[in-house]
Amino acid sequence: MKFISTTLITAILPLAHAVGNAIVLNNCTETVYVWSVSSSIDNSQTLENGESYTEQFRHDDKTGGITLKVTTAADGIYNNAPETDYAYTLDSETVWYDISDVNGDAFANYSVALVPANSACESFIWAGGIPPSGIHTASCNADGDIRLTLCE
């Protein structure tokens, strides 16, 4: 029996791996609103100055990915307000992540930074809150956090 237990544990351990978090930190003086959107839309989270929203990286079976939609309007995603989207897709031990703006630039004139805890992974920093041209997608090990900081 002891042999079976040890064998089972040895077989399962490589399948278990730590998963990091998607974080949104509001350093802006105004309130921001965050929705976690996959095949469904979660209720908005209200973030005052200095507050953050955290969710563990997860996979959506229908869409594959998750988007954290951030606006400065309480019903922003329902009334086409400018939004900053932090999207990620968890793929086994890798997380693919990107940042984009929709319907305008919600944080124009303020800095926006999407930064992984693992410094070897690519960061995206918009000093003026407006995305530069090009692709803003990268991948990193899924065991570390990736934080979107607003008004850094």
Side-chain angles (χ1 to χ4, degrees), residues 29-93:
T29 55
E30 63 187 298
T31 302
V32 300
Y33 304 88
V34 180
W35 290 262
S36 182
V37 178
S38 56
S39 56
S40 62
I41 301 173
D42 289 349
N43 292 330
S44 70
Q45 302 295 313
T46 302
L47 302 181
E48 302 295 334
N49 175 266
E51 294 182 332
S52 64
Y53 168 78
T54 301
E55 73 176 36
Q56 187 173 47
F57 292 132
R58 59 191 171 97
H59 177 80
D60 183 87
D61 289 334
K62 291 182 182 177
T63 64
I66 313 296
T67 301
L68 301 180
K69 295 178 170 284
V70 184
T71 72
T72 57
D75 291 327
I77 67 169
Y78 301 109
N79 64 22
N80 296 321
E83 66 186 53
T84 295
D85 290 351
Y86 163 14
Y88 69 86
T89 301
L90 180 61
D91 180 17
S92 185
E93 295 182 21

Side-chain angles (χ1 to χ4, degrees), residues 69-152:
K69 295 178 170 284
V70 184
T71 72
T72 57
D75 291 327
I77 67 169
Y78 301 109
N79 64 22
N80 296 321
E83 66 186 53
T84 295
D85 290 351
Y86 163 14
Y88 69 86
T89 301
L90 180 61
D91 180 17
S92 185
E93 295 182 21
T94 301
V95 63
W96 293 86
Y97 56 97
D98 68 66
I99 183 171
S100 60
D101 276 356
V102 177
N103 301 323
D105 303 305
F107 299 97
N109 301 316
Y110 299 96
S111 64
V112 174
L114 185 60
V115 180
N118 181 343
S119 61
C121 299
E122 187 171 2
S123 294
F124 300 104
I125 300 172
W126 303 346
I130 298 173
S133 61
I135 297 172
H136 310 284
T137 302
S139 65
C140 195
N141 291 336
D143 60 355
D145 296 343
I146 302 175
R147 183 176 67 196
L148 173 62
T149 303
L150 308 168
C151 304
E152 188 168 52

